[in-house]
Amino acid sequence: MDRFTRIYTIVIALVIIGALVLWVGSAWKPGVWELNRLLESDPQLATYPYQFRVVSLDSGVATISTPRSFELPAIRFLEIIHPNLANKADNDPEVVAAQQTLIDHQKRAQGLILAQPQVESVRWELDTQWLAARGVYVSGSP
C-alpha cells in the first residue's frame, strides 16, 4: 500500500470512528432510560393507550412526550384512542370523563418523574411522531 492510500485509509477510519463516537454519545442517555423504565413499570400508566415517555433530561429538566398541546386540542387525541367520541360535543359526559382520565394520567406521569432526585422540573413536548403515525399532522411536525 502506497503512502497516499495509507494516509487516506487512516483519515477515513478516523472520520468514521469520530462519527460513531458522536452518534453513541448522543444516543447514550441512561438517565432517560431509567425514567422511562419507571413510567413503563407503573401499573396505572401501563394500561393507558398512550405511553408517556421521557424524551430528554438536561440540567434537571425532564421533557416528557404528550399527545396534546395548545396546537392540538385534547379531543383530537381522544378521538384516536376512543373512536366512539368522534362528533360528540366537548361537554358530553363521555368526553369530559375521557379528558379527566387523560389529565389524571398526565399528572401521574409528571408526579412520578418529579419524585426522582435528578429531576427538578418537567417540560411537556407534543409527540408529533405518535400523532403522525395515526394520521394527525401538526404544523412543524416531521
Side-chain angles (χ1 to χ4, degrees):
M1 184 181 313
D2 66 11
R3 184 168 188 245
F4 173 79
T5 305
R6 188 173 42 243
I7 292 173
Y8 181 76
T9 303
I10 290 170
V11 169
I12 293 296
L14 288 174
V15 168
I16 290 172
I17 290 170
L20 185 61
V21 166
L22 287 174
W23 177 73
V24 168
S26 67
W28 187 258
K29 299 177 182 180
V32 170
W33 301 337
E34 177 185 335
L35 295 173
N36 281 328
R37 277 193 298 274
L38 175 69
L39 292 175
E40 292 165 5
S41 67
D42 182 76
Q44 189 175 345
L45 293 176
T47 60
Y48 195 65
Y50 178 81
Q51 298 302 304
F52 295 96
R53 60 186 169 72
V54 176
V55 178
S56 67
L57 177 61
D58 296 313
S59 303
V61 179
T63 302
I64 306 175
S65 66
T66 181
R68 67 181 187 127
S69 71
F70 290 113
E71 299 94 23
L72 186 81
I75 191 65
R76 287 289 292 131
F77 161 72
L78 294 172
E79 289 173 347
I80 294 169
I81 64 168
H82 301 297
N84 62 313
L85 297 180
N87 301 319
K88 291 198 176 190
D90 289 345
N91 60 353
D92 184 283
E94 285 184 70
V95 172
V96 172
Q99 285 178 334
Q100 189 58 53
T101 301
L102 169 59
I103 291 167
D104 293 344
H105 283 83
Q106 195 163 356
K107 283 183 180 179
R108 181 158 182 88
Q110 180 178 15
L112 287 171
I113 297 304
L114 282 173
Q116 302 311 301
Q118 70 271 36
V119 178
E120 298 170 16
S121 65
V122 164
R123 186 176 82 78
W124 294 98
E125 179 178 286
L126 184 62
D127 194 343
T128 56
Q129 290 180 333
W130 188 91
L131 292 164
R134 286 149 184 87
V136 178
Y137 298 95
V138 182
S139 62
S141 64

